[in-house]
Amino acid sequence: MENNMKSALITGITGQDGSYLTEFLIEKGYMVYGLVRRSSLFNRSRIEHIIEKKPDQLKLIYGDLSDSSSLNRILEKYTPDEIYNLGAQSHVGISFEIPEYTSDVNGLGTLRLLDAIREVGIKPKLYQASSSELYGRVTESPQTETTKFHPRSPYACSKAFAYYITQNYREAYQLFACNGILFNHESPRRSENFVTRKVTLSLAKIKNGYQDKLILGNLEAQRDWGYAKDYVEAMWLMLQQDKPDDYVIATGQTHTIRELVEIAGEACGFNIEWQGSGLNEIGIDSVSGNVIVETSEKYIRPSEVDYLCGDSKKALEILKWKPKTSFKELTQLMMISDLKNLTQID
Ligand code: NAP
Ligand code: GDD
């Protein structure tokens, strides 16, 4: 590493955001250290292209947010200028099945990282991946940095602990630490069990005859969806300010799951019409007359977040950040990517 080169450690580098952030930082000339977990199957498909193109600017290191000694060792050895804590068990629905594990990685994992910084005695700037799930049962709309939290899942509770412990280390130890309260953000690299990607991938499979139906849970939920590639820039901007602070990152537009299915369907050549209600609701493609969407209790959560819509005015004023990609553009680009990937399989 050259002496004047800035360095960043990313936890969660193999995930959706980690891969876009790595591209972004490498483009800016950073040396990037990525924390990777051991897994039985190689899971680096999102960053393989970067490893190939920029081997001198990217180094992967084994570690885990549940393993303090690995975090201490990595910080001591690489002393990064910036740390982006993106690592998490990030699936809200699954957090109801593995609440203790989710809390350990997302909540205590953040504390382990903060405390490793303190123990090693370095002063990096830290970004904490906080979430609009903190708002849960919303008390006002749109949600801002001052809206009250009401978490509705073990995931959201674990992120609440991480949010507050990040603020505490900022106040107690003068650490430059920021919470980015990011609303849902998606991309063609989104894992297949989040609703946007599930919809685009399933519709592409139905179109190509690999699958009959798309089975979903709550169609009424509303989300403020943005493009992950736009959002990683906001993470970096937070760490370039003079003072650490917390920021909402969102588009300010909200849509139902039903609208998501309609727009993705349109981009795929379907015309989806709805019949019935609740768990009996179905989506019919009026072009073929086939039922292609059904609902199932399997995907209904014990407690749901019905509505999210963020106000990122503070990010616009201070970071000069605003989203570049509309919901329709995002859905279309995800749909096109999944259709293209399936055609390549043929
Ligand atoms: P993602 O695709 O699920 O990626 C999660 C990453 O965390 C993966 O690299 C995963 O590694 C890693 N990880 C999981 N457990 C770990 C552990 N014990 N130690 C170290 N790393 C671990 O998530 P994402 O969508 O990129 O989100 C990034 C972060 O932002 C997460 O903290 C998420 O909760 C938060 N967030 C996301 C959104 C959103 O809409 N995407 C919105 C708000 C906040 P493996 O590849 O080995 O599993
Ligand atoms: N995953 C999934 N699968 N969700 C479904 C389905 C389905 O089949 N059917 C309906 N939904 C509904 C969920 O009940 C939820 O209301 C909404 O679609 C969005 O679900 P997800 O895409 O799983 O995302 P999320 O909003 O729960 O969580 C994501 O965004 C958070 C930020 O608000 C994750 O990325 C979190 O890590 C992130 O913090």
Short mmCIF file of all heavy atoms in Angstrom, two decimals, residues 89-132:
data_model
loop_
_atom_site.label_atom_id
_atom_site.label_comp_id
_atom_site.label_asym_id
_atom_site.label_seq_id
_atom_site.Cartn_x
_atom_site.Cartn_y
_atom_site.Cartn_z
N GLN A 89 -26.86 -10.21 9.89
CA GLN A 89 -27.93 -11.12 9.47
C GLN A 89 -29.03 -10.15 9.09
O GLN A 89 -29.72 -9.60 9.95
CB GLN A 89 -28.31 -12.04 10.63
CG GLN A 89 -29.24 -13.18 10.25
CD GLN A 89 -30.56 -12.75 9.62
OE1 GLN A 89 -30.68 -12.65 8.38
NE2 GLN A 89 -31.56 -12.48 10.44
N SER A 90 -29.20 -9.90 7.78
CA SER A 90 -29.98 -8.74 7.35
C SER A 90 -31.42 -9.05 6.96
O SER A 90 -32.14 -8.15 6.55
CB SER A 90 -29.26 -8.08 6.16
OG SER A 90 -29.38 -8.91 5.02
N HIS A 91 -31.85 -10.31 7.11
CA HIS A 91 -33.22 -10.65 6.70
C HIS A 91 -34.18 -10.53 7.89
O HIS A 91 -34.07 -11.25 8.88
CB HIS A 91 -33.26 -12.07 6.12
CG HIS A 91 -34.48 -12.30 5.28
ND1 HIS A 91 -35.73 -12.47 5.82
CD2 HIS A 91 -34.64 -12.37 3.94
CE1 HIS A 91 -36.61 -12.64 4.85
NE2 HIS A 91 -35.97 -12.58 3.69
N VAL A 92 -35.15 -9.63 7.75
CA VAL A 92 -36.09 -9.34 8.84
C VAL A 92 -36.94 -10.57 9.16
O VAL A 92 -37.09 -10.97 10.32
CB VAL A 92 -36.99 -8.14 8.46
CG1 VAL A 92 -38.06 -7.91 9.53
CG2 VAL A 92 -36.15 -6.88 8.24
N GLY A 93 -37.51 -11.20 8.13
CA GLY A 93 -38.38 -12.37 8.33
C GLY A 93 -37.64 -13.49 9.05
O GLY A 93 -38.14 -14.09 10.02
N ILE A 94 -36.41 -13.76 8.60
CA ILE A 94 -35.63 -14.86 9.18
C ILE A 94 -35.20 -14.54 10.62
O ILE A 94 -35.00 -15.43 11.42
CB ILE A 94 -34.42 -15.18 8.26
CG1 ILE A 94 -34.93 -15.73 6.92
CG2 ILE A 94 -33.45 -16.16 8.90
CD1 ILE A 94 -33.86 -15.91 5.84
N SER A 95 -35.14 -13.24 10.96
CA SER A 95 -34.72 -12.89 12.33
C SER A 95 -35.71 -13.40 13.38
O SER A 95 -35.36 -13.58 14.54
CB SER A 95 -34.51 -11.37 12.47
OG SER A 95 -35.73 -10.66 12.58
N PHE A 96 -36.97 -13.66 12.96
CA PHE A 96 -37.94 -14.23 13.91
C PHE A 96 -37.60 -15.70 14.20
O PHE A 96 -37.98 -16.23 15.24
CB PHE A 96 -39.37 -14.15 13.35
CG PHE A 96 -39.92 -12.74 13.33
CD1 PHE A 96 -39.85 -11.97 12.18
CD2 PHE A 96 -40.50 -12.20 14.47
CE1 PHE A 96 -40.36 -10.68 12.15
CE2 PHE A 96 -41.02 -10.91 14.45
CZ PHE A 96 -40.95 -10.14 13.29
N GLU A 97 -36.91 -16.36 13.27
CA GLU A 97 -36.51 -17.76 13.45
C GLU A 97 -35.21 -17.88 14.22
O GLU A 97 -34.98 -18.84 14.94
CB GLU A 97 -36.31 -18.46 12.08
CG GLU A 97 -37.45 -18.30 11.08
CD GLU A 97 -38.74 -18.91 11.58
OE1 GLU A 97 -38.68 -19.95 12.26
OE2 GLU A 97 -39.81 -18.33 11.31
N ILE A 98 -34.30 -16.90 14.03
CA ILE A 98 -32.99 -16.94 14.71
C ILE A 98 -32.72 -15.60 15.42
O ILE A 98 -31.79 -14.87 15.07
CB ILE A 98 -31.85 -17.31 13.71
CG1 ILE A 98 -31.94 -16.49 12.39
CG2 ILE A 98 -31.81 -18.77 13.40
CD1 ILE A 98 -30.70 -16.62 11.50
N PRO A 99 -33.57 -15.30 16.43
CA PRO A 99 -33.45 -14.00 17.09
C PRO A 99 -32.15 -13.81 17.86
O PRO A 99 -31.56 -12.73 17.85
CB PRO A 99 -34.65 -13.97 18.04
CG PRO A 99 -35.07 -15.39 18.21
CD PRO A 99 -34.69 -16.10 16.96
N GLU A 100 -31.68 -14.89 18.52
CA GLU A 100 -30.48 -14.75 19.35
C GLU A 100 -29.26 -14.53 18.47
O GLU A 100 -28.43 -13.65 18.73
CB GLU A 100 -30.32 -16.01 20.20
CG GLU A 100 -29.20 -15.90 21.20
CD GLU A 100 -29.05 -17.18 22.02
OE1 GLU A 100 -30.05 -17.91 22.23
OE2 GLU A 100 -27.91 -17.46 22.42
N TYR A 101 -29.16 -15.32 17.40
CA TYR A 101 -28.03 -15.19 16.47
C TYR A 101 -28.04 -13.79 15.83
O TYR A 101 -27.00 -13.12 15.72
CB TYR A 101 -28.11 -16.28 15.40
CG TYR A 101 -27.08 -16.11 14.31
CD1 TYR A 101 -25.76 -16.46 14.53
CD2 TYR A 101 -27.44 -15.54 13.08
CE1 TYR A 101 -24.81 -16.27 13.54
CE2 TYR A 101 -26.49 -15.34 12.09
CZ TYR A 101 -25.18 -15.70 12.33
OH TYR A 101 -24.24 -15.49 11.36
N THR A 102 -29.24 -13.35 15.42
CA THR A 102 -29.37 -12.04 14.78
C THR A 102 -28.89 -10.94 15.73
O THR A 102 -28.15 -10.02 15.33
CB THR A 102 -30.84 -11.79 14.36
OG1 THR A 102 -31.25 -12.85 13.50
CG2 THR A 102 -31.02 -10.47 13.65
N SER A 103 -29.28 -11.05 17.00
CA SER A 103 -28.87 -10.04 17.98
C SER A 103 -27.38 -10.09 18.22
O SER A 103 -26.74 -9.04 18.40
CB SER A 103 -29.59 -10.26 19.32
OG SER A 103 -30.97 -10.33 19.09
N ASP A 104 -26.84 -11.29 18.23
CA ASP A 104 -25.40 -11.44 18.49
C ASP A 104 -24.58 -10.78 17.39
O ASP A 104 -23.67 -10.00 17.66
CB ASP A 104 -25.05 -12.94 18.59
CG ASP A 104 -23.60 -13.13 18.98
OD1 ASP A 104 -23.17 -12.51 19.96
OD2 ASP A 104 -22.88 -13.87 18.29
N VAL A 105 -24.92 -11.08 16.14
CA VAL A 105 -24.12 -10.54 15.03
C VAL A 105 -24.38 -9.04 14.83
O VAL A 105 -23.44 -8.24 14.75
CB VAL A 105 -24.43 -11.31 13.72
CG1 VAL A 105 -23.72 -10.65 12.54
CG2 VAL A 105 -24.00 -12.76 13.86
N ASN A 106 -25.66 -8.66 14.79
CA ASN A 106 -25.99 -7.27 14.45
C ASN A 106 -25.78 -6.31 15.63
O ASN A 106 -25.30 -5.19 15.45
CB ASN A 106 -27.46 -7.15 14.03
CG ASN A 106 -27.81 -8.02 12.84
OD1 ASN A 106 -26.98 -8.78 12.34
ND2 ASN A 106 -29.04 -7.93 12.37
N GLY A 107 -26.18 -6.75 16.81
CA GLY A 107 -26.09 -5.88 17.98
C GLY A 107 -24.73 -5.98 18.64
O GLY A 107 -23.93 -5.03 18.61
N LEU A 108 -24.45 -7.16 19.21
CA LEU A 108 -23.16 -7.32 19.90
C LEU A 108 -21.99 -7.22 18.94
O LEU A 108 -20.91 -6.74 19.30
CB LEU A 108 -23.13 -8.65 20.65
CG LEU A 108 -24.02 -8.73 21.89
CD1 LEU A 108 -23.91 -10.09 22.56
CD2 LEU A 108 -23.67 -7.61 22.88
N GLY A 109 -22.20 -7.64 17.69
CA GLY A 109 -21.13 -7.55 16.69
C GLY A 109 -20.67 -6.11 16.52
O GLY A 109 -19.47 -5.82 16.41
N THR A 110 -21.62 -5.20 16.51
CA THR A 110 -21.27 -3.77 16.39
C THR A 110 -20.49 -3.30 17.62
O THR A 110 -19.49 -2.60 17.51
CB THR A 110 -22.56 -2.93 16.20
OG1 THR A 110 -23.25 -3.44 15.06
CG2 THR A 110 -22.27 -1.46 16.02
N LEU A 111 -20.95 -3.74 18.79
CA LEU A 111 -20.22 -3.39 20.03
C LEU A 111 -18.80 -3.97 20.00
O LEU A 111 -17.84 -3.28 20.37
CB LEU A 111 -20.99 -3.94 21.24
CG LEU A 111 -20.27 -3.82 22.59
CD1 LEU A 111 -19.98 -2.37 22.94
CD2 LEU A 111 -21.10 -4.45 23.70
N ARG A 112 -18.67 -5.21 19.53
CA ARG A 112 -17.33 -5.82 19.48
C ARG A 112 -16.39 -4.98 18.60
O ARG A 112 -15.24 -4.76 18.94
CB ARG A 112 -17.41 -7.25 18.90
CG ARG A 112 -18.02 -8.24 19.86
CD ARG A 112 -17.98 -9.66 19.29
NE ARG A 112 -18.81 -10.53 20.11
CZ ARG A 112 -20.02 -10.97 19.77
NH1 ARG A 112 -20.51 -10.71 18.57
NH2 ARG A 112 -20.73 -11.72 20.60
N LEU A 113 -16.93 -4.50 17.49
CA LEU A 113 -16.11 -3.71 16.56
C LEU A 113 -15.73 -2.37 17.21
O LEU A 113 -14.57 -1.96 17.17
CB LEU A 113 -16.91 -3.49 15.27
CG LEU A 113 -16.19 -2.81 14.13
CD1 LEU A 113 -14.97 -3.62 13.67
CD2 LEU A 113 -17.14 -2.63 12.93
N LEU A 114 -16.71 -1.72 17.82
CA LEU A 114 -16.45 -0.43 18.47
C LEU A 114 -15.42 -0.59 19.58
O LEU A 114 -14.50 0.22 19.74
CB LEU A 114 -17.74 0.15 19.05
CG LEU A 114 -18.77 0.67 18.04
CD1 LEU A 114 -20.15 0.80 18.68
CD2 LEU A 114 -18.32 2.01 17.47
N ASP A 115 -15.58 -1.67 20.35
CA ASP A 115 -14.67 -1.85 21.48
C ASP A 115 -13.27 -2.27 21.03
O ASP A 115 -12.29 -1.93 21.69
CB ASP A 115 -15.25 -2.86 22.48
CG ASP A 115 -14.91 -2.42 23.88
OD1 ASP A 115 -15.16 -1.25 24.23
OD2 ASP A 115 -14.32 -3.25 24.62
N ALA A 116 -13.21 -2.96 19.88
CA ALA A 116 -11.89 -3.31 19.34
C ALA A 116 -11.16 -2.02 18.95
O ALA A 116 -9.96 -1.88 19.18
CB ALA A 116 -12.04 -4.24 18.14
N ILE A 117 -11.91 -1.07 18.38
CA ILE A 117 -11.30 0.23 18.00
C ILE A 117 -10.71 0.89 19.25
O ILE A 117 -9.60 1.38 19.28
CB ILE A 117 -12.37 1.15 17.36
CG1 ILE A 117 -12.84 0.58 16.02
CG2 ILE A 117 -11.84 2.58 17.20
CD1 ILE A 117 -14.02 1.30 15.40
N ARG A 118 -11.50 0.85 20.34
CA ARG A 118 -11.07 1.48 21.60
C ARG A 118 -9.84 0.77 22.17
O ARG A 118 -8.87 1.42 22.56
CB ARG A 118 -12.23 1.41 22.60
CG ARG A 118 -12.02 2.23 23.85
CD ARG A 118 -13.32 2.37 24.58
NE ARG A 118 -13.72 1.14 25.25
CZ ARG A 118 -13.55 0.91 26.55
NH1 ARG A 118 -12.99 1.82 27.31
NH2 ARG A 118 -13.95 -0.22 27.10
N GLU A 119 -9.90 -0.56 22.17
CA GLU A 119 -8.79 -1.34 22.76
C GLU A 119 -7.49 -1.15 21.99
O GLU A 119 -6.43 -0.99 22.58
CB GLU A 119 -9.16 -2.82 22.74
CG GLU A 119 -10.15 -3.16 23.80
CD GLU A 119 -9.80 -4.44 24.52
OE1 GLU A 119 -8.83 -5.14 24.12
OE2 GLU A 119 -10.49 -4.72 25.48
N VAL A 120 -7.61 -1.18 20.65
CA VAL A 120 -6.40 -1.06 19.83
C VAL A 120 -5.87 0.37 19.88
O VAL A 120 -4.69 0.61 19.66
CB VAL A 120 -6.70 -1.53 18.38
CG1 VAL A 120 -5.55 -1.28 17.45
CG2 VAL A 120 -7.07 -3.02 18.38
N GLY A 121 -6.77 1.30 20.18
CA GLY A 121 -6.33 2.69 20.36
C GLY A 121 -6.16 3.45 19.05
O GLY A 121 -5.36 4.38 18.98
N ILE A 122 -6.91 3.05 18.02
CA ILE A 122 -6.85 3.79 16.75
C ILE A 122 -8.06 4.72 16.66
O ILE A 122 -9.01 4.58 17.43
CB ILE A 122 -6.79 2.84 15.52
CG1 ILE A 122 -7.95 1.84 15.55
CG2 ILE A 122 -5.44 2.11 15.47
CD1 ILE A 122 -8.09 0.98 14.32
N LYS A 123 -8.04 5.68 15.75
CA LYS A 123 -9.14 6.64 15.63
C LYS A 123 -9.70 6.68 14.21
O LYS A 123 -9.66 7.73 13.55
CB LYS A 123 -8.66 8.05 16.04
CG LYS A 123 -8.48 8.24 17.53
CD LYS A 123 -9.79 8.65 18.17
CE LYS A 123 -9.68 8.67 19.70
NZ LYS A 123 -10.97 8.73 20.36
N PRO A 124 -10.22 5.55 13.72
CA PRO A 124 -10.79 5.57 12.37
C PRO A 124 -12.16 6.25 12.40
O PRO A 124 -12.76 6.43 13.46
CB PRO A 124 -10.96 4.09 12.05
CG PRO A 124 -11.19 3.45 13.38
CD PRO A 124 -10.41 4.26 14.38
N LYS A 125 -12.65 6.62 11.21
CA LYS A 125 -14.04 7.08 11.12
C LYS A 125 -14.89 5.84 10.87
O LYS A 125 -14.48 4.96 10.10
CB LYS A 125 -14.17 8.07 9.96
CG LYS A 125 -13.46 9.38 10.24
CD LYS A 125 -13.66 10.35 9.10
CE LYS A 125 -13.15 11.73 9.48
NZ LYS A 125 -13.40 12.71 8.42
N LEU A 126 -16.07 5.78 11.52
CA LEU A 126 -16.88 4.56 11.39
C LEU A 126 -18.28 4.85 10.88
O LEU A 126 -18.94 5.79 11.34
CB LEU A 126 -16.98 3.85 12.74
CG LEU A 126 -17.84 2.59 12.71
CD1 LEU A 126 -17.08 1.38 13.23
CD2 LEU A 126 -19.12 2.76 13.52
N TYR A 127 -18.71 4.05 9.90
CA TYR A 127 -20.08 4.11 9.40
C TYR A 127 -20.83 2.90 9.94
O TYR A 127 -20.38 1.77 9.77
CB TYR A 127 -20.10 4.08 7.86
CG TYR A 127 -21.50 3.92 7.32
CD1 TYR A 127 -22.32 5.03 7.15
CD2 TYR A 127 -22.02 2.66 7.03
CE1 TYR A 127 -23.62 4.89 6.70
CE2 TYR A 127 -23.32 2.51 6.57
CZ TYR A 127 -24.12 3.62 6.41
OH TYR A 127 -25.41 3.48 5.97
N GLN A 128 -21.97 3.12 10.58
CA GLN A 128 -22.80 2.00 11.05
C GLN A 128 -24.06 1.90 10.19
O GLN A 128 -24.79 2.87 10.01
CB GLN A 128 -23.18 2.22 12.54
CG GLN A 128 -24.24 1.27 13.06
CD GLN A 128 -23.89 -0.22 12.90
OE1 GLN A 128 -22.74 -0.60 12.79
NE2 GLN A 128 -24.91 -1.05 12.83
N ALA A 129 -24.30 0.68 9.66
CA ALA A 129 -25.44 0.44 8.78
C ALA A 129 -26.73 0.31 9.60
O ALA A 129 -27.17 -0.78 9.93
CB ALA A 129 -25.21 -0.83 7.95
N SER A 130 -27.30 1.46 9.94
CA SER A 130 -28.60 1.45 10.63
C SER A 130 -29.72 1.38 9.60
O SER A 130 -29.47 1.48 8.39
CB SER A 130 -28.72 2.68 11.52
OG SER A 130 -27.88 2.52 12.64
N SER A 131 -30.94 1.24 10.09
CA SER A 131 -32.01 0.84 9.17
C SER A 131 -33.34 1.54 9.45
O SER A 131 -33.67 1.81 10.61
CB SER A 131 -32.23 -0.67 9.32
OG SER A 131 -33.45 -1.06 8.75
N SER A 132 -34.12 1.75 8.39
CA SER A 132 -35.46 2.31 8.55
C SER A 132 -36.39 1.35 9.30
O SER A 132 -37.46 1.76 9.75
CB SER A 132 -36.05 2.64 7.18
OG SER A 132 -35.97 1.53 6.32
#
